[in-house]
Amino acid sequence: MKKDFISISDMDPKEIQAIFELTGKLKKNKSKFAKALSGKTIALIFQKPSNRTRVSFEVGMYQLGGNSIYLGPDEINLGVRESIHDVAKTLSRYCDGIVLRTYEHKNVLEMAKFASIPVINGLSDFSHPCQALADIFTVKEKLKSLKGKTLVYTGDGNNVCNSLIYACFKTGMKINVATPAGFEPESSVVRAAGGSVRLFNDPIEAAKGADVVYTDVWASMGQEDEAEKRKEIFKPFQVNQKLLSFANKGALVMHCLPAHRGQEITDGAIDSPQSVVFDEAENRMHVQKAILIKLLGAKK
Ligand code: CP
Ligand code: NVA
């Protein structure tokens, strides 16, 4: 049976632990895995722009001895030129895996349903699981243990926020989410995470006791029309020195990137010694290499 990577909610804590262990090995000893996926090819179907996700998957696959093919919005024109069903069936005859970056989350589910090869969610409007796993791996690297640590997310209750809630829940962390009213994360996600998540409308209240302070853009890809309106609504939720003064001393500053400096985060915060944003970006590649080996590698 092929396995997909669509949501952290589908994973049990042991699987996450195993991915983190393999990630650590991959990061330490690149050459040992130079042939792990030799002869394998993944298709990267991207309906939205990307820097980190595309490059980290392409370079990661190359480092594992495999190959990748980037298929941007103009090439496949998913659902317009061809149905998801037909794309899934066709690519399953050539490739060994598909990474899909799309709008509606149901597109990822549909691709996974019809593909006979593993499908990886490279971001949907609902979630960004590769990001959240790399983020929590980064927290573990920096803070050593995760149990009982508090991550504070301030800003829009978006795809990244949803995945962080699942990731914190599955790894024994607590998460405080501060959003303006009406911009809360998905209620189904909050319900699933039980007592590990607390919602706030006041970022200062949320930031108290934080080991990690995290934010993301106020208008995600596809919400460009709302960007101006959102700038006003989200202003109090900016990560800056004042907000950081309410968190624990030396709390990690995180952002999935791309950042809109001066909006959701100040230069002072993102460039501070507490900031680990480029470690997060680097770890995207190491974590995804582990995911690729788990899903596409030879079964033992
Ligand atoms: N963080 C992230 O997914 O970045 P990209 O949109 O550049 O891939
Ligand atoms: N929430 C952002 C994340 C980008 C990596 C977006 O969906 O655009």
Side-chain angles (χ1 to χ4, degrees), residues 49-54 101 128 131 221 256-258 284:
S50 171
N51 172 6
R52 281 145 290 274
T53 308
R54 175 183 178 179
R101 169 166 285 201
H128 197 4
Q131 181 68 53
M221 292 180 276
C256 56
L257 306 176
R284 287 291 304 277

Side-chain angles (χ1 to χ4, degrees), residues 103 125 156 158 183 217-228 230:
Y103 291 89
D125 289 344
D156 186 23
N158 61 16
F183 294 90
V217 291
W218 292 336
S220 285
M221 292 180 276
Q223 297 174 329
E224 288 78 6
D225 292 354
E226 295 176 37
E228 278 311 306
R230 283 172 174 249

Side-chain angles (χ1 to χ4, degrees), residues 60 98-99 124 134-135 137 162 166 186 205 209 214 290 294:
I98 295 171
V99 179
S124 69
D135 293 336
F137 178 83
N162 289 332
Y166 281 138
E186 283 285 330
E205 275 310 305
Y214 196 118
K294 293 271 179 204

Side-chain angles (χ1 to χ4, degrees), residues 49-87:
S50 171
N51 172 6
R52 281 145 290 274
T53 308
R54 175 183 178 179
V55 178
S56 57
F57 267 111
E58 288 204 24
V59 175
M61 200 58 191
Y62 176 74
Q63 289 181 0
L64 294 170
N67 183 37
S68 57
I69 300 173
Y70 175 74
L71 298 159
D74 293 338
E75 268 118 340
I76 291 228
N77 203 358
L78 204 62
V80 179
R81 185 169 183 268
E82 225 172 342
S83 68
I84 292 178
H85 171 276
D86 291 358
V87 171

Side-chain angles (χ1 to χ4, degrees), residues 246-296:
F246 290 94
N248 288 345
K249 203 168 153 25
L252 302 177
V253 172
M254 301 184 78
H255 190 308
C256 56
L257 306 176
H260 293 144
R261 289 164 173 258
Q263 291 185 39
E264 75 273 3
I265 193 161
T266 58
D267 286 337
I270 199 168
D271 296 328
S272 72
Q274 294 165 246
S275 170
V276 295
V277 298
F278 298 112
D279 296 303
E280 289 178 78
E282 179 186 337
N283 284 334
R284 287 291 304 277
M285 184 173 77
H286 303 301
V287 164
Q288 287 160 197
K289 283 169 74 177
I291 294 168
L292 287 167
I293 290 177
K294 293 271 179 204
L295 297 185
L296 274 58

